[in-house]
Structures are given as C-alpha cells and as structure tokens.
Amino acid sequence: MNATMGRYRAVTGHRLFWPAAVLVVMLAANTIYRPGFLSIELKDGHLYGSPIDILRLSAPLILVALGMTLVISTGGIDLSVGSVCAISGAIACMYISKQSDQNSLVVVLTALAMALGVALVLGAWNGVLVAVIGIQPIIATLILMVAGRGLAQLITQGQIITINSEPFRAIGLGHLFTLPLAIFIALAAALLVAAFTRRTALGMIVESVGGNAEASRLAGIRSGRVIFLAYVLSAACAAIAGFMMTANVSSADGNAVGLWVELDAILAVVIGGTSLAGGRFFLSGTIIGALIIQTLTTTVYAMDISPQTSLLFKAVVVIAVCLIQAPAFRARFARRRRSAPKPNTIADKPKEQVPA
C-alpha cells in the first residue's frame, strides 16, 4: 500500500502531470460532446481532423510562448510580441503585394528576411531598454506594444493588404509528409531552443540570471547580454508566428494580427510550470500549455458558446487549471481533507457515566 501511494504521489507530483491531465480531460469532454472529435482522415494525401487543426493552430502560439518562456525565465516579460507579429506580417505582405510575380520563391524569401530583420531590431530595442538602460520590462515592452500597433497600421496605411502567393500561403496552410507545415516549423523551433538551452550551458546561465541577476554578474556572467539575447529571440519567434498568422488568411491586418497573443503566451508559460518570478523554465510544459489554450478555444467554438461569454468561459477554465496544478493549493486542500472530522468514530461517542 505504501509503495502504491509512493508511486501515485511521484506521478501526480511531476510538473507535467496536471497540465497533461487537464489536456486529456478537455479532449475527452469534446469527444463526449462530439463523438467524431478525435477522428482523423486522409484526403488527397493530407491528414484532416480536429486534432490536426489544434496542432496547426497551436503552432503560432507555441512559437510566441517559446520566446516568452526565455524572457520570463530571466525575470522579465514581453508584452510586445503581438505587435511584432503584426509588424512582421505587414512588412512581408506589403513587399510581396508590390511584386509582379508574387509566386516567386525569391520574392517570398526576401520578404521574410526583411520582416525578420525588422523584428530583430525591435527585439534589440526591447533588450536595450531593459538590459542597458534599466527600464522595467513591463514598461519597456508596453511602449512597443502600443507603438508597434501604430507602426503596423502605418505600414499597411490602415488597410488590409491581401496577396496571392502560394509559397507564402504554404507557411500557414502548406503540408509536408501529410501533416501541416506549420507543425514542423513549430517543432523545429522547439527542438532548436531545447538544444541550445538544455544541451549547452546557455539554459543554466539564463536560469541563474533569472534567479539572481546581481549574483550572476558577480559570478562572472554578463547578465545584460543574456537578457538582451532573450528579448531578441522572443522577437524572432514572434516574427515567425506573424508569418503563419498572415499566411493563414493571405492578408495582413495591422490591427488584428497577433491581437492579445501575448496574454495567451503568458498563460501558456504559467500553465506549463514556469514561474513569473524567473529562474527555472520548462519548455515542454510551455508547449502543453499552448495546446491547452488552443484546445480551449476550439472547445468554445465546438460547443457554440456565445462570443459574449466565451472569454469568461476561458478565464474560468484557465483559473481552474492554474489552481489544480499549484502545489500550495493542492497541499492546502489535502490538509483540509485530512483535518475534517470523521463522523461515527469512537471518540465521538459519549462516555459512559461511572457510578459514584
């Protein structure tokens, strides 16, 4: 019995158990509501189905959340990722729309390179404000969050730019080995970030800076450079996500692309077990968190929940997920259960009167 309880506690105590359990429960609830929810079929050499759609639509959020994880692990936060998505998509679509041959691969690659370059400059701007000048991260990135939307609107001149480019559309809707190409892009980014942060000393350095930047500096680590690099990488991930968002609809809307994606990314990071205080970070948990957010969005649409109540529904579910996986909440709940009085016990029975 003790061995079984020990194994149970070891499994439930794993940082990925509760997020994974919540994801499984959500998928099961969708299957009960719509029995064909998990069905996958092959058409014209491509796989289709709700699980495939969840993975494809999760790809932009996974990319943004990966960059957000690195920033949060340094003790910062990046509220400008949504604006960077809009700017990168606007630049790419603007350049492609002005070319005579929009299906040219060279044209598309040039547009992507230009947009990615601008995104890196924006990430460097955030890094300088935080790491060099010393502005608080939430204020520094809030500046670009607000100004970036205006810049995206300026690029598009307040219009929705539509393009007809098959190579660009493939970023969001293309297929590779029967699966959407967006899934492979997100997977490649996750493996690349994991390789640099878990197979080299970079991950430990990032965690040490997030744990105590001053102590890391005294230990010989250039904390400013690490923080600067985190914001640059976050902007790069947001730019690629912006390409996917605009490619899905073959148009760029400076006011709508990436709107509030920064909040979903922060939620995905927190659900995955990374603390907002900085320090330890968990990339696998971030990916599961992004899948939970997208599955929740799909659930809202599948269950025909009205738009007026969908945000409230998502908020309630996210709060429940965070409480379930919080060790302090579970420990307090367990203590209350153990301390609850048990009825009909011997101690509760009145003692017999002893005759004098």
Side-chain angles (χ1 to χ4, degrees), residues 114-133:
M114 291 174 54
L116 183 59
V118 173
L120 293 177
V121 172
L122 296 176
W125 167 260
N126 284 335
V128 168
L129 292 181
V130 176
V132 179
I133 301 179

Side-chain angles (χ1 to χ4, degrees), residues 6-319:
R7 286 194 294 268
Y8 171 77
R9 290 175 180 174
V11 172
T12 57
H14 194 277
R15 55 182 174 79
L16 294 180
F17 174 80
W18 292 106
V22 169
L23 180 60
V24 171
V25 169
M26 292 177 63
L27 294 175
N30 278 279
T31 303
I32 294 173
Y33 181 80
R34 193 172 58 180
F37 181 79
L38 294 179
S39 61
I40 299 175
E41 56 182 349
L42 183 66
K43 289 183 179 179
D44 300 327
H46 301 153
L47 291 175
Y48 294 95
S50 295
I52 303 298
D53 291 336
I54 290 175
L55 291 176
R56 180 179 64 83
L57 296 174
S58 297
L61 180 56
I62 290 174
L63 286 167
V64 176
L66 287 173
M68 187 71 73
T69 301
L70 296 178
V71 171
I72 289 177
S73 63
T74 63
I77 200 164
D78 190 354
L79 299 179
S80 65
V81 289
S83 296
V84 174
C85 290
I87 292 171
S88 61
I91 292 175
C93 288
M94 175 63 72
Y95 180 81
I96 294 174
S97 65
K98 293 183 177 180
Q99 306 303 313
S100 58
D101 185 9
Q102 297 187 9
N103 290 316
S104 172
L105 184 59
V106 175
V107 169
V108 173
L109 292 177
T110 303
L112 298 181
M114 291 174 54
L116 183 59
V118 173
L120 293 177
V121 172
L122 296 176
W125 167 260
N126 284 335
V128 168
L129 292 181
V130 176
V132 179
I133 301 179
I135 300 178
Q136 291 184 355
I138 191 172
I139 301 300
T141 57
L142 184 62
I143 295 172
L144 184 57
M145 175 185 177
V146 177
R149 285 291 167 186
L151 180 58
Q153 292 277 31
L154 183 63
I155 294 172
T156 60
Q157 297 180 355
Q159 305 295 322
I160 297 178
I161 302 175
T162 58
I163 60 175
N164 186 18
S165 175
E166 288 298 329
F168 186 77
R169 188 182 294 113
I171 299 175
L173 300 176
H175 285 77
L176 180 65
F177 303 123
T178 72
L179 290 173
L181 180 61
I183 297 177
F184 291 99
I185 296 175
L187 179 61
L191 292 177
L192 191 61
V193 173
F196 277 99
T197 57
R198 294 311 184 194
R199 297 298 179 182
T200 67
L202 179 60
M204 183 177 62
I205 292 174
V206 170
E207 291 178 340
S208 65
V209 170
N212 193 322
E214 182 62 21
S216 300
R217 187 186 66 81
L218 295 176
I221 298 175
R222 301 187 179 221
S223 304
R225 290 188 178 182
V226 175
I227 295 174
F228 177 86
L229 179 62
Y231 283 96
V232 172
L233 291 177
S234 177
C237 291
I240 300 174
F243 299 153
M244 288 185 183
M245 295 175 186
T246 52
N248 284 334
V249 292
S250 294
S251 62
D253 184 354
N255 190 44
V257 173
L259 189 62
W260 309 127
V261 71
E262 56 274 355
L263 302 184
D264 285 343
I266 294 172
L267 285 175
V269 173
V270 173
I271 290 174
T274 299
S275 173
L276 287 176
R280 294 294 304 276
F281 64 91
F282 308 103
L283 296 176
S284 55
T286 294
I287 295 174
I288 294 178
L291 292 174
I292 289 176
I293 297 297
Q294 183 55 51
T295 304
L296 182 58
T297 303
T298 303
T299 302
V300 169
Y301 293 136
M303 294 185 176
D304 295 328
I305 298 176
S306 63
Q308 292 78 9
T309 59
S310 60
L311 295 178
L312 179 61
F313 176 79
K314 289 179 65 175
V316 171
V317 173
V318 169
I319 291 174

